[in-house]
Amino acid sequence: MPLPQTIPDSDAARWAAVSARDASADGAFVYSVRTTGVFCRPSCPSRAAKRGNVAFHADAAAARAAGFRPCLRCRPDDEAQAERRAALVLSACRAIDATSDAADDAPDLGALARDAGLSRFHFHRLFKAELGVTPKAYAAARRAARTAEALAGAGTVTEAIYEGGFGSSGRFYAAAPARLGMAPSARRRGGGGETLRFAVGQCSLGAVLVAATAKGVAAITLGDDPDALVADLQDRFPAATLVGGEPGFEATVAAVVGLVEAPRTGLALPLDIRGTAFQERVWQALRSIPAGTTLSYAEVAERLGTPKAVRAVAGACAANAIAVAIPCHRVVRTGGGLSGYRWGVERKRALLAREAQD
């Protein structure tokens, strides 16, 4: 998973995790209920206990030492079960990665399920719960990644398509802009053939770089050093044509600066969003969070129908390259604490404060 688990560091944070049934807190601690004599994982689906009857323990051994027995619903001391689930999904991923032919079709779900010793339904649900995407979406993302790597060294795009595992070129070309972020020939040239207009301005949060393709705004980045922001853009598109200083682009930069200063106003400009299938789902969910409100990573995962993909949601937030317009600053830890932010926690705090005041 992209990011390490955030460990609740106070009883208030632990209680917030228990109240939210936050699966990302599983393994960080367990809690016991005095009236029932059992201890549970934070994500236990059992009926909520009263706060006065709850105590927190570092692990299952500590809870047992205090005289509590494990809950039969969430099985808080059965770490082997979680390890088995992870091992089954890892084995399935390796099987998908090893399959390079007939790639225009979905993975053989029946074969994967049989290898895991599960029904098709339960295997599909387990895979999505662990990774946040279906086996079909995972296979598509892996093929796109292999093709992207092959494009850099292949003699032709056609060679790269087959090296990447695509059985034919038709479906590949249909999906290429969404999966690669640009036409395959442009990706092979490191963005060559694509033009990005860009400019660096100043706002109350420091320097702001805005870059856009013909499709829409592709990057909004914040920082203290304008040169570092430009270097980052060059690293992302090493062979693209970067055009700076265009007078006509000033209106776009002004609109973005206005968004940073007043995030509630929104951005009336199209976006050129580039990510994996799961990242794009997360970013779309972020855009639906109203200004002035926040969600936890667990709540975003719940909205996506993948409650166990909390770390994957955090990874998608960290990968977002369009600050404020895709408002990853509105996602916080369970309990409301601020977590890491690509452009600095202080900027995240400032953006949330501005939205709260408007």
Side-chain angles (χ1 to χ4, degrees):
M1 296 297 177
L3 290 180
Q5 175 175 281
T6 299
I7 300 177
D9 55 3
S10 68
D11 280 359
R14 296 183 185 100
W15 176 244
V18 170
S19 299
R21 293 186 170 89
D22 186 353
S24 72
D26 286 355
F29 67 93
V30 297
Y31 72 94
S32 61
V33 182
R34 178 173 55 82
T35 52
T36 62
V38 304
F39 66 93
C40 305
R41 300 177 187 270
S43 65
C44 183
S46 299
R47 183 178 177 181
K50 293 182 179 180
R51 176 64 183 91
N53 294 327
V54 170
F56 302 105
H57 310 273
D59 51 33
R64 283 182 178 278
F68 295 94
R69 64 184 185 278
C71 171
L72 295 178
R73 292 195 67 181
C74 67
R75 300 183 182 277
D77 57 349
D78 189 5
E79 295 302 324
Q81 182 181 17
E83 292 177 2
R84 286 195 298 272
R85 288 164 58 93
L88 288 176
V89 172
L90 177 60
S91 178
C93 289
R94 287 174 174 167
I96 293 172
D97 291 345
T99 303
S100 59
D101 56 350
D104 284 341
D105 299 322
D108 187 340
L109 190 61
L112 293 172
R114 285 194 299 274
D115 289 344
L118 301 171
S119 69
R120 289 168 59 95
F121 171 77
H122 284 94
F123 170 77
H124 190 275
R125 186 171 63 177
L126 170 64
F127 192 99
K128 187 174 181 181
E130 290 291 315
L131 292 189
V133 295
T134 65
K136 181 178 179 180
Y138 174 83
R142 292 297 298 144
R143 288 196 299 272
R146 288 197 299 267
T147 305
E149 294 173 1
L151 282 168
T156 67
V157 172
T158 300
E159 291 176 9
I161 290 173
Y162 288 99
E163 286 181 27
F166 283 84
S168 67
S169 61
R171 292 184 184 178
F172 167 77
Y173 274 103
R179 296 277 67 81
L180 300 179
M182 62 188 74
S185 57
R187 180 60 180 256
R188 178 171 172 263
R189 296 189 296 271
E194 185 171 52
T195 298
L196 280 85
R197 296 184 297 162
F198 79 96
V200 179
Q202 288 292 322
C203 64
S204 59
L205 298 183
V208 54
L209 179 144
V210 184
T213 64
K215 183 178 178 181
V217 174
I220 299 174
T221 56
L222 303 168
D224 298 318
D225 183 355
D227 291 337
L229 297 181
V230 175
D232 177 69
L233 182 67
Q234 291 172 329
D235 289 343
R236 291 180 60 201
F237 302 97
T241 300
L242 303 181
V243 179
E246 279 195 346
F249 198 59
E250 293 176 355
T252 298
V253 177
V256 171
V257 171
L259 174 69
V260 174
E261 301 301 339
R264 279 184 176 270
T265 60
L267 185 67
L269 293 172
L271 302 182
D272 184 353
I273 298 175
R274 305 174 177 211
T276 67
F278 184 74
Q279 286 173 338
E280 290 177 14
R281 288 182 62 209
V282 172
W283 297 338
Q284 189 60 43
L286 302 188
R287 297 182 73 189
S288 70
I289 303 174
T293 62
T294 59
L295 292 178
S296 69
Y297 296 104
E299 288 171 328
V300 174
E302 288 279 358
R303 286 194 175 191
L304 294 174
T306 55
K308 294 191 176 182
V310 177
R311 298 178 194 175
V313 167
C317 290
N320 174 32
I322 306 180
V324 192
I326 297 178
C328 54
H329 63 277
R330 294 176 189 158
V331 186
V332 298
R333 294 175 179 171
T334 298
L338 298 188
S339 56
Y341 186 53
R342 181 170 181 171
W343 298 284
V345 173
E346 289 306 315
R347 291 188 175 93
K348 181 172 187 172
R349 181 176 288 108
L351 289 168
L352 292 175
R354 291 173 186 182
E355 293 185 357
Q357 292 170 358
D358 291 342

